[in-house]
Amino acid sequence: MVVVKSFWSRAVLVSCALAAVGAAAAGCSSAQDRAPAPTVVRQDLAVPAGTVPGASHPANAVLLSDGRVLVAGGLTKNGNNDAPSKAAALFDPATNQWTATGNLNVARAESTAIRLSDGRVLISGGEDLTVNLLTSNEVYDPATGAFSAFGNLSVPRMNESAVLLSNGSVMVAGGATGSIDAQRAEIIGGGQIFNWLGPWHGEVSLTRMSDHTILALFDDQAWVLDETTFSWTNIAGPLLPRRGQKVIRMDDGRLLMLGGQISVPNPSGVGVTNADTALVELFDPVAGVWSATGSLSRPSDEFDQLMTVPGGDVLLIGAKIRVERYSAAAGTWSLLEPLSNPPLTATLLNTGSLLVTEVIPGISGYTSASELYDSASPVCTQLSCAQKGAACGPIDDGCGNIALCGSCAAGQFCNAGACACNTLTSCAAQQKTCGTIPDGCGGTLSCGSCGAGQACTNNVCITPPPVSSCAHSECLSGAKLTSTCSACTQKVCTSDPYCCNNSWDSLCANEGKSLCTVCAAPTCTPTSCSALGKSCGSVSDGCGGMLSCGSCALGQTCTNNVCTTTPPSPPSTCAHSQCASGAKLTSGCTSCVSSICAVDSYCCASAWDSICINEVSSVCKLSCP
């Protein structure tokens, strides 16, 4: 699919499967298939993860001398896990096509890549499939499309900093090594190792400052290497100590430093913790002075990437989808139109566009993608919470950042940008069937209307009493009423003739209420445990609910919701248990047997039958198991 957009120039190219060099995979467009020179081209082709190396974690991307881009290594999906990759591919901006090239000799991720002065590309260190750090290096020759071994590091390194020296060799420093040797810098293949003069760390950065000087930064330390003497000189450090910073030399010779982590007070109030920062500094190598400049729109991430673009400005490709441009003249940052997908690598092409490799997470894996992004993209207009119709929670501001729209009041929660009430009730929960009632959150609920012949009383539908021809209401005292004036008077006078023969007094009115229920909607009066004669467990309250009648004391059991005392085992003088039928028992073997035989001599004179056992309960007030 080709999409032309007039407001900014970018082409998204979801990578085709790496077929033979120069061959297009099925479904991929060739250069001849495309419309001639559209302002913006977006070509989306569904391809599986792994087409572009580093489909789940950044690979190495390097601009070659001929304008093509090499992408190699990184992490890719391997079953349920991510694993370092050997894969490598080339992107040709002349055709907007990806093609296969020779694989790395060793699968590696978190390595460092740099183009050498002779046009070859050095891939240094990293970690392998067994998560071991590597000392090996490889070099890619664009002329042959193959990788070959290129010396070894003195110590294994991952994510080390590298800089091309003026003599064509490469110096590396820092990186994760798990060794004190991370404090050393070395020249790859040159056999030279340099000890730092200060307390260096694995997160040191190396940046070319001039034709013969290199700036090394870590924390509050700054050192300059003079390549003519290979000596280090300590200079003034940054205004804000930080680790893992990114530094780039601008076209005017100044150095722009951003990102990294700074020490901030721990939220617990004890000690300090590390946090990303949006603060940015400039270093003037002529004056040897650090100064603050415009801050980023949000703290920088470790995967943010920097590059200078035509005109002298600096572009930041964010770890999510945001893009920011630093104006060297104004000293300020501007948000640009965002990327389509989270970036993995970003490379400035000779055309002025950026090649961005991307990852699109999916249910079954990752989809590799790439995008051509115009470095002159216009400023992005951020959307406010009001414009997005959001009153709470985070929202996408349309420029790759997150805007916070506030929180909800107590008792409410944020649902899709709107505050909702935690205590919202319903008509059914309130046992209401008609009219409107409060919803518990400042609004109202409509509970419907009643059927024919019903009236809504206290938001409940009831059937009113039939119209009567009686001289007065059956619910009020007064003159006698005739038994035929209503069905209610007929019931009352049948049970109490006085009401129709003499006077409809207060007793008659009460009988009308109890027999006919014409004076009020029928109601249910819950009963009680004591009224039911229950002392334990749960019983119905007679109105659809349940009553808890408590629990029994120690030594008692709950039988039919009544606590009973379990009879003690009879003494050994009884021939058998008083709760079992059998031969007659001797009066006096237990107090209960004595009581039973006093009222039923048969139990102690003839036999202890089932009637005697029942008398354990009726006479002794004991229960048998």
Side-chain angles (χ1 to χ4, degrees), residues 319-330:
K320 302 296 186 281
I321 61 172
R322 94 181 192 283
V323 180
E324 296 194 47
R325 182 170 59 215
Y326 178 77
S327 170

Side-chain angles (χ1 to χ4, degrees), residues 521-596:
T523 59
C524 179
T525 302
T527 187
S528 65
C529 293
S530 58
L532 294 172
K534 304 299 183 183
S535 58
C536 59
S538 298
V539 296
S540 172
D541 66 357
C543 295
M546 297 297 292
L547 295 172
S548 176
C549 298
S551 56
C552 298
L554 184 64
Q556 292 184 313
T557 58
C558 187
T559 304
N560 294 326
N561 297 106
V562 176
C563 291
T564 58
T565 302
T566 303
S569 300
S572 58
T573 54
C574 289
H576 58 77
S577 170
Q578 63 195 25
C579 292
S581 58
K584 63 183 180 180
L585 294 179
T586 303
S587 178
C589 70
T590 68
S591 59
C592 180
V593 171
S594 297
S595 298
I596 293 173

Side-chain angles (χ1 to χ4, degrees), residues 59-450:
N60 296 121
V62 179
L63 180 69
L64 302 179
S65 301
D66 60 9
R68 294 179 299 166
V69 177
L70 171 70
V71 179
L75 291 177
T76 190
K77 205 69 176 174
N78 182 16
N80 294 325
N81 301 311
D82 292 335
S85 172
K86 287 185 177 182
L90 291 171
F91 176 79
D92 189 346
T95 62
N96 283 348
Q97 293 287 329
W98 287 95
T99 56
T101 191
N103 285 341
L104 289 159
N105 294 303
V106 177
R108 62 183 76 218
E110 310 285 0
S111 53
T112 298
I114 189 168
R115 192 178 80 190
L116 303 177
S117 54
D118 62 5
R120 294 180 300 164
V121 176
L122 174 68
I123 310 289
S124 174
E127 66 176 3
D128 63 13
L129 288 168
T130 58
V131 199
N132 289 321
L133 301 187
L134 296 169
T135 58
S136 65
N137 306 309
E138 300 185 44
V139 67
Y140 176 78
D141 188 343
T144 63
F147 286 90
S148 58
F150 190 78
N152 290 311
L153 298 167
S154 64
V155 293
R157 297 179 189 266
M158 178 177 73
N159 290 326
E160 64 271 26
S161 183
V163 64
L164 184 66
L165 301 180
S166 55
N167 63 7
S169 59
V170 175
M171 173 180 282
V172 296
T177 68
S179 167
I180 195 68
D181 288 320
Q183 297 179 356
R184 297 178 178 178
E186 62 179 289
I187 296 178
I188 294 179
Q192 292 174 280
I193 299 176
F194 304 92
N195 288 317
W196 294 118
L197 301 179
W200 291 106
H201 186 271
E203 293 177 322
V204 63
S205 63
L206 298 176
T207 310
R208 175 160 294 284
M209 193 166 64
S210 68
D211 290 345
H212 296 286
T213 55
I214 306 295
L215 177 67
L217 290 176
F218 170 73
D219 206 13
D220 61 350
Q221 297 287 313
W223 296 78
V224 175
L225 171 68
D226 185 340
E227 292 187 71
T228 60
T229 61
F230 276 99
S231 60
W232 294 93
T233 303
N234 188 210
I235 65 171
L239 302 176
L240 181 66
R242 60 182 87 195
R243 299 180 179 185
Q245 68 282 342
K246 290 176 172 53
V247 185
I248 189 169
R249 184 187 181 192
M250 299 195 299
D251 290 351
D252 60 12
R254 293 178 299 167
L255 273 64
L256 183 74
M257 179 185 70
L258 57 78
Q261 291 200 320
I262 61 174
S263 295
V264 297
N266 198 309
S268 66
V270 179
V272 296
T273 187
N274 294 327
D276 293 331
T277 179
L279 300 177
V280 183
E281 295 184 40
L282 285 172
F283 179 67
D284 185 340
V286 177
V289 174
W290 292 90
S291 60
T293 188
S295 297
L296 295 164
S297 67
R298 56 175 292 175
S300 179
D301 185 275
E302 65 173 313
F303 295 117
D304 288 350
Q305 301 169 71
L306 293 177
M307 62 203 66
T308 56
V309 294
D313 290 349
V314 174
L315 215 60
L316 178 144
I317 305 299
K320 302 296 186 281
I321 61 172
R322 94 181 192 283
V323 180
E324 296 194 47
R325 182 170 59 215
Y326 178 77
S327 170
T332 56
W333 292 88
S334 301
L335 278 168
L336 305 186
E337 291 291 332
L339 299 171
S340 299
N341 301 295
L344 293 172
T345 67
T347 310
L348 182 65
L349 303 176
N350 293 334
T351 60
S353 294
L354 270 69
L355 172 68
V356 184
T357 62
E358 303 169 333
V359 58
I360 307 174
I363 297 175
S364 58
Y366 297 98
T367 300
S368 299
S370 59
E371 177 176 330
L372 284 177
Y373 182 93
D374 191 343
S375 61
S377 174
V379 173
C380 181
T381 301
Q382 292 175 275
L383 298 178
S384 66
C385 294
Q387 289 171 315
K388 297 277 285 191
C392 60
I395 62 164
D396 176 5
D397 70 354
C399 297
N401 275 342
I402 298 298
L404 300 178
C405 300
S407 56
C408 299
Q412 295 183 321
F413 67 97
C414 189
N415 180 26
C419 290
C421 184
N422 284 327
T423 57
L424 190 67
T425 187
S426 66
C427 294
Q430 299 300 316
Q431 297 182 336
K432 303 300 183 181
T433 57
C434 58
T436 58
I437 63 172
D439 65 0
C441 294
T444 58
L445 293 173
S446 175
C447 298
S449 56
C450 299

